[in-house]
Amino acid sequence: MRKRGAFITLEGIEGAGKSTCMALAARLLRDAGRELVESREPGGTPLGEALRELLLGHRHDGMAVDTELLLMFAARAEHLHRKILPDLRQGRWVLCDRFTDATYAYQGGGRGVEESRIAVLEKWVQGDLKPDLTLLLDLPPEVGLERAGKRSKPDRFEKERVSFFERVRRVYLQRAADEPRRFRVIDAARPLEEVERQVAEVVQEFLAAWS
Ligand code: Z5A
């Protein structure tokens, strides 16, 4: 039987450099001969991308926190059943920009939803599936917001205050401390070449351990 592929996620607050580091990680994994699928959350499927528009756009400003939480998991259920699980079973590797840690960080830390309520949905939607490796790009919110602020109009999350992103960051760091085998924390405040060096080291170490 073909060995299941590895599931790798990237996490971090706004402007942490996930997109930049995801491109590097994808190149390294493909160079190492892995068949790779890149995806993102919320999104990754046609329905998931439609939900992403509802979640990030401003048409539904003031959406109830429970609605936001359930839509995140609805998009995730679709993503898992239509894409992530079939790919992993076929031996493909999946590299995903954000996953359930983002829900604990944003809806839990940011919006104040109790962790235990998120855990119920996690178990329901994912069963025991968790990423095999999570790279957490960590940096102070002021630095991330400054980087991201140089871009287009802010979405529904990007317009939150620094204190919101401080709570998000705290939850991410707590999760990393609680699951040290799965998480690798990258100091994303460093210059890009230094961040890329850290990411490359983690990816190479993981490749060596997996095969
Ligand atoms: N969300 C949620 O609430 N709950 C959930 O369960 C999930 C998601 C799954 C999705 O946005 C939003 O959904 C997210 C949380 C919420 N909202 N927020 N905030 P997203 O993930 O698609 O978008 P994002 O977080 O806003 O990502 P981003 O702003 O695109 O950031 P990034 O990908 O981490 O950064 P980047 O684009 O790679 O870099 C930003 C800029 O900084 C760019 O110009 C780079 O060239 C520059 N950069 C990157 N690294 C460096 C270094 N080291 N030095 C200097 N400059 C750098």
Side-chain angles (χ1 to χ4, degrees), residues 14 17-20 52 76 98 103 106-107 151 190:
E14 163 77 357
K18 288 176 286 79
S19 316
T20 315
R52 179 186 178 92
R76 184 160 301 135
R98 298 193 185 282
T103 314
Y106 282 80
Q107 281 64 54
R151 295 175 316 187
R190 310 279 304 156

Side-chain angles (χ1 to χ4, degrees), residues 4-9 80 84-85 88 94 99-101 104 115 119 122-123 126-134 175 178-179 182-183 206 210:
R4 144 167 120 63
F7 181 29
I8 302 175
T9 56
L80 276 166
I84 297 177
L85 291 172
L88 292 177
V94 176
F99 193 62
T100 307
D101 294 302
Y104 281 100
E115 190 183 330
E122 179 184 30
K123 187 78 186 164
Q126 293 165 226
D128 290 329
L129 182 85
K130 280 196 175 193
D132 300 296
L133 169 69
T134 298
R175 293 183 68 72
D178 291 347
E179 290 186 67
R182 173 165 72 91
F183 275 91
F206 182 78
W210 186 268

Side-chain angles (χ1 to χ4, degrees), residues 23-159:
L24 169 69
R27 183 164 54 72
L28 293 171
L29 293 168
R30 289 201 173 97
D31 286 352
R34 307 297 152 176
E35 198 183 337
L36 185 72
V37 175
E38 291 176 65
S39 200
R40 67 174 182 179
E41 288 214 347
T45 64
L47 176 53
E49 291 295 325
L51 292 171
R52 179 186 178 92
E53 262 186 58
L54 295 177
L55 280 159
L56 303 193
H58 290 282
R59 264 182 72 194
H60 304 286
D61 273 343
M63 165 186 308
V65 173
D66 277 356
T67 311
E68 182 179 289
L69 174 66
L70 290 165
L71 287 178
M72 289 292 176
F73 271 104
R76 184 160 301 135
E78 185 73 4
H79 196 197
L80 276 166
H81 292 296
R82 304 245 172 230
K83 191 164 176 179
I84 297 177
L85 291 172
D87 279 324
L88 292 177
R89 286 189 193 117
Q90 291 295 317
R92 287 187 279 275
W93 286 38
V94 176
L95 180 61
C96 194
D97 189 339
R98 298 193 185 282
F99 193 62
T100 307
D101 294 302
T103 314
Y104 281 100
Y106 282 80
Q107 281 64 54
R111 306 272 196 234
V113 176
E114 269 173 47
E115 190 183 330
S116 58
R117 298 184 69 208
I118 301 174
V120 169
L121 292 170
E122 179 184 30
K123 187 78 186 164
W124 181 20
V125 169
Q126 293 165 226
D128 290 329
L129 182 85
K130 280 196 175 193
D132 300 296
L133 169 69
T134 298
L135 286 92
L136 172 57
L137 298 167
D138 176 60
L139 84 179
E142 295 82 1
V143 180
L145 292 171
E146 156 78 19
R147 286 184 194 165
K150 293 181 183 146
R151 295 175 316 187
S152 56
K153 181 169 176 267
D155 66 33
R156 227 168 46 77
F157 291 95
E158 290 166 349
K159 67 174 184 41

